[in-house]
Amino acid sequence: QVRLVESGGGLVQPGGSLRLSCAAPGSIFDINSMGWYRQAPGKQREWVARITTGGTTNYADSVKGRFTISRDNAKNTVYLQMNSLKPEDTAVYYCKVHTLSWDTSDDYWGQGTQVTVSS
C-alpha cells in the first residue's frame, strides 16, 4: 500500500511555529492536489488546507492568516507552515494526496504527525 511520509510535528508553546512536511513517493502519478487535515481528540477529522498543482490555495477559516501551505512539485512534497499556534490547534495532522486522471481518481493518506500546543 502506498503511504505518504510526514514529518515536523512536536510540542510547541502558544504563539510558536512549526513546519510540517509530507512527501509522496514517485510511484504516485497524476497528482491533482495535496492537502492537510487534522483530528483532535474526541473530534472528527477536519480539513485544514489544500493546494492544487497550479498553486491555488484554500484554507479553513480557523487557520486563515496563520497557516501557509506550499508544495514542491518536483519533489512531490507538500508543506504546512504553522504560525501563531493556539492550544486549539492541537491535533494529529494528516496529509492527503488526490490524484485525477481521465478515467480514475484516488486519495492517499499519511500516517499522521502529532502537533501539541501547550505551555
Coordinates of all heavy atoms in Angstrom, one line a residue, residues 50-89:
R50 N -5.4 23.2 1.4 CA -5.3 22.5 0.1 C -4.6 23.3 -0.9 O -4.7 24.6 -0.9 CB -6.7 22.2 -0.4 CG -6.8 21.6 -1.8 CD -8.3 21.3 -2.1 NE -8.5 20.9 -3.5 CZ -8.7 21.7 -4.5 NH1 -8.8 23.0 -4.3 NH2 -8.9 21.2 -5.7
I51 N -3.8 22.7 -1.7 CA -3.1 23.4 -2.8 C -3.1 22.5 -4.0 O -2.9 21.3 -4.0 CB -1.6 23.7 -2.4 CG1 -0.9 24.5 -3.5 CG2 -0.8 22.5 -2.1 CD1 0.4 25.2 -3.0
T52 N -3.4 23.1 -5.1 CA -3.5 22.4 -6.4 C -2.2 22.4 -7.1 O -1.2 23.1 -6.7 CB -4.5 23.1 -7.3 OG1 -4.0 24.4 -7.7 CG2 -5.9 23.2 -6.7
T53 N -2.1 21.6 -8.1 CA -0.8 21.6 -8.9 C -0.5 22.9 -9.5 O 0.7 23.3 -9.6 CB -1.0 20.5 -10.1 OG1 -1.3 19.3 -9.5 CG2 0.3 20.4 -10.9
G54 N -1.5 23.7 -9.8 CA -1.2 25.0 -10.3 C -0.9 26.1 -9.3 O -0.6 27.2 -9.6
G55 N -1.0 25.7 -8.0 CA -0.6 26.6 -6.9 C -1.8 27.3 -6.2 O -1.6 28.1 -5.3
T56 N -3.0 27.0 -6.6 CA -4.2 27.6 -5.9 C -4.3 27.1 -4.5 O -4.2 25.9 -4.4 CB -5.5 27.4 -6.7 OG1 -5.3 28.0 -8.0 CG2 -6.7 28.0 -6.0
T57 N -4.5 28.0 -3.6 CA -4.6 27.5 -2.2 C -5.9 27.9 -1.6 O -6.6 28.9 -2.0 CB -3.5 28.2 -1.3 OG1 -3.6 29.6 -1.4 CG2 -2.1 27.8 -1.8
N58 N -6.3 27.0 -0.6 CA -7.6 27.3 0.1 C -7.3 26.9 1.6 O -6.6 26.0 1.8 CB -8.7 26.4 -0.4 CG -9.0 26.7 -1.9 OD1 -8.6 26.0 -2.7 ND2 -9.8 27.8 -2.1
Y59 N -7.9 27.6 2.5 CA -7.7 27.4 3.9 C -9.1 27.4 4.7 O -10.0 28.1 4.3 CB -6.9 28.5 4.5 CG -5.5 28.6 3.9 CD1 -5.2 29.5 2.9 CD2 -4.4 27.9 4.5 CE1 -4.0 29.6 2.3 CE2 -3.2 28.0 3.9 CZ -2.9 28.8 2.9 OH -1.7 28.9 2.3
A60 N -9.1 26.6 5.7 CA -10.2 26.6 6.7 C -10.1 28.0 7.4 O -9.1 28.5 7.6 CB -10.1 25.5 7.7
D61 N -11.3 28.5 7.7 CA -11.4 29.8 8.4 C -10.6 29.8 9.7 O -10.0 30.9 10.0 CB -12.8 30.2 8.7 CG -13.6 30.5 7.4 OD1 -12.9 30.8 6.4 OD2 -14.8 30.5 7.5
S62 N -10.5 28.7 10.4 CA -9.8 28.7 11.7 C -8.3 28.8 11.6 O -7.7 29.2 12.6 CB -10.1 27.3 12.3 OG -9.7 26.3 11.5
V63 N -7.7 28.7 10.4 CA -6.3 28.8 10.2 C -5.9 29.9 9.3 O -4.7 30.2 9.1 CB -5.7 27.4 9.8 CG1 -6.1 26.3 10.7 CG2 -6.0 27.1 8.4
K64 N -6.8 30.5 8.6 CA -6.5 31.5 7.6 C -5.7 32.6 8.3 O -6.1 33.1 9.3 CB -7.8 32.0 7.0 CG -7.7 32.7 5.7 CD -9.1 32.9 5.1 CE -9.8 31.7 4.7 NZ -11.1 31.9 4.1
G65 N -4.7 33.0 7.6 CA -3.8 34.1 8.1 C -2.7 33.6 9.0 O -1.8 34.4 9.4
R66 N -2.8 32.4 9.5 CA -1.8 31.8 10.4 C -1.0 30.7 9.8 O 0.2 30.5 10.0 CB -2.4 31.3 11.7 CG -3.2 32.4 12.5 CD -3.6 31.9 13.8 NE -4.6 30.8 13.7 CZ -4.4 29.5 14.2 NH1 -3.2 29.3 14.9 NH2 -5.3 28.6 14.0
F67 N -1.7 29.9 8.9 CA -1.0 28.8 8.3 C -0.8 29.1 6.8 O -1.6 29.8 6.2 CB -1.9 27.5 8.4 CG -2.1 26.9 9.8 CD1 -1.6 27.6 10.9 CD2 -2.7 25.7 9.9 CE1 -1.7 27.1 12.2 CE2 -2.8 25.1 11.2 CZ -2.3 25.8 12.3
T68 N 0.3 28.5 6.3 CA 0.6 28.7 4.8 C 0.9 27.3 4.3 O 1.8 26.6 4.8 CB 1.7 29.6 4.6 OG1 1.4 30.9 5.2 CG2 2.0 29.8 3.1
I69 N 0.2 26.9 3.2 CA 0.5 25.6 2.5 C 1.3 25.9 1.3 O 1.1 26.9 0.6 CB -0.8 24.9 2.2 CG1 -0.5 23.5 1.7 CG2 -1.7 25.6 1.2 CD1 -1.7 22.6 1.6
S70 N 2.3 25.1 1.0 CA 3.1 25.2 -0.2 C 3.5 23.8 -0.7 O 3.3 22.9 0.0 CB 4.3 26.1 0.0 OG 5.1 25.5 1.0
R71 N 4.0 23.8 -1.9 CA 4.4 22.5 -2.4 C 5.6 22.6 -3.4 O 5.8 23.6 -4.0 CB 3.2 21.8 -3.1 CG 2.7 22.5 -4.3 CD 1.4 21.8 -4.9 NE 1.7 20.6 -5.6 CZ 0.8 19.8 -6.1 NH1 -0.5 20.2 -6.0 NH2 1.1 18.7 -6.8
D72 N 6.3 21.5 -3.5 CA 7.4 21.4 -4.4 C 7.0 20.3 -5.4 O 7.1 19.1 -5.0 CB 8.7 21.1 -3.7 CG 9.9 21.0 -4.6 OD1 9.8 20.7 -5.8 OD2 11.0 21.3 -4.1
N73 N 6.6 20.6 -6.5 CA 6.0 19.6 -7.5 C 7.1 18.7 -7.9 O 6.9 17.5 -8.1 CB 5.4 20.3 -8.7 CG 4.1 21.0 -8.4 OD1 3.4 20.7 -7.4 ND2 3.8 22.0 -9.1
A74 N 8.3 19.1 -8.0 CA 9.4 18.3 -8.5 C 9.7 17.2 -7.4 O 10.2 16.1 -7.8 CB 10.7 19.1 -8.7
K75 N 9.5 17.5 -6.2 CA 9.8 16.5 -5.1 C 8.5 15.8 -4.6 O 8.6 15.1 -3.7 CB 10.4 17.2 -3.9 CG 11.8 17.8 -4.3 CD 12.4 18.5 -3.0 CE 13.8 19.0 -3.3 NZ 14.4 19.7 -2.1
N76 N 7.3 16.2 -5.2 CA 6.1 15.6 -4.7 C 5.9 15.8 -3.2 O 5.4 14.9 -2.5 CB 6.0 14.1 -5.0 CG 5.5 13.8 -6.4 OD1 5.3 14.7 -7.2 ND2 5.3 12.5 -6.7
T77 N 6.3 17.0 -2.8 CA 6.2 17.3 -1.3 C 5.3 18.5 -1.1 O 5.4 19.5 -1.8 CB 7.7 17.6 -0.8 OG1 8.5 16.4 -1.0 CG2 7.6 17.9 0.7
V78 N 4.6 18.4 0.0 CA 3.7 19.5 0.4 C 4.1 19.9 1.9 O 4.6 19.0 2.6 CB 2.2 19.1 0.4 CG1 1.9 18.0 1.3 CG2 1.3 20.3 0.7
Y79 N 4.1 21.2 2.1 CA 4.5 21.7 3.4 C 3.3 22.5 4.1 O 2.4 23.0 3.4 CB 5.6 22.7 3.2 CG 6.8 22.1 2.5 CD1 7.0 22.3 1.1 CD2 7.8 21.3 3.2 CE1 8.1 21.7 0.5 CE2 8.9 20.8 2.5 CZ 9.0 21.0 1.1 OH 10.1 20.5 0.5
L80 N 3.3 22.6 5.4 CA 2.4 23.4 6.1 C 3.1 24.2 7.1 O 3.6 23.6 8.1 CB 1.3 22.5 6.8 CG 0.1 23.3 7.4 CD1 -0.7 24.1 6.3 CD2 -0.8 22.4 8.2
Q81 N 3.3 25.5 6.9 CA 3.9 26.4 7.8 C 2.8 26.9 8.8 O 1.9 27.5 8.3 CB 4.6 27.5 7.1 CG 5.2 28.5 8.1 CD 6.4 28.0 8.8 OE1 7.3 27.3 8.3 NE2 6.5 28.3 10.1
M82 N 3.0 26.6 10.1 CA 2.0 27.0 11.1 C 2.6 28.0 12.0 O 3.6 27.7 12.7 CB 1.5 25.7 11.8 CG 1.0 24.6 10.9 SD 0.4 23.2 11.8 CE 1.9 22.6 12.6
N83 N 2.0 29.2 12.0 CA 2.5 30.3 12.9 C 1.4 30.7 13.9 O 0.2 30.3 13.7 CB 2.9 31.5 12.0 CG 4.0 31.2 11.1 OD1 4.9 30.4 11.4 ND2 4.0 31.9 9.9
S84 N 1.8 31.4 14.9 CA 0.8 31.8 15.9 C -0.1 30.7 16.4 O -1.3 30.8 16.4 CB -0.1 33.0 15.3 OG 0.7 34.1 14.9
L85 N 0.6 29.6 16.7 CA -0.2 28.4 17.1 C -1.0 28.6 18.4 O -0.5 29.3 19.3 CB 0.7 27.2 17.2 CG 1.2 26.6 15.9 CD1 2.4 25.8 16.0 CD2 0.0 25.8 15.3
K86 N -2.1 28.0 18.4 CA -3.0 28.1 19.6 C -3.2 26.7 20.2 O -3.1 25.7 19.5 CB -4.4 28.7 19.2 CG -4.3 30.0 18.5 CD -5.7 30.4 18.0 CE -5.6 31.8 17.2 NZ -7.0 32.2 16.7
P87 N -3.6 26.6 21.5 CA -3.9 25.3 22.0 C -4.9 24.5 21.2 O -4.9 23.3 21.1 CB -4.4 25.6 23.4 CG -3.7 26.9 23.8 CD -3.6 27.7 22.5
E88 N -5.9 25.2 20.6 CA -6.9 24.5 19.9 C -6.4 24.0 18.5 O -7.1 23.3 17.8 CB -8.1 25.4 19.6 CG -7.8 26.8 19.0 CD -7.7 27.9 20.1 OE1 -7.1 27.6 21.2 OE2 -8.2 29.0 19.9
D89 N -5.2 24.3 18.2 CA -4.6 23.6 17.0 C -4.0 22.3 17.3 O -3.6 21.6 16.4 CB -3.4 24.5 16.5 CG -3.9 25.9 15.9 OD1 -5.0 25.9 15.2 OD2 -3.3 26.9 16.2

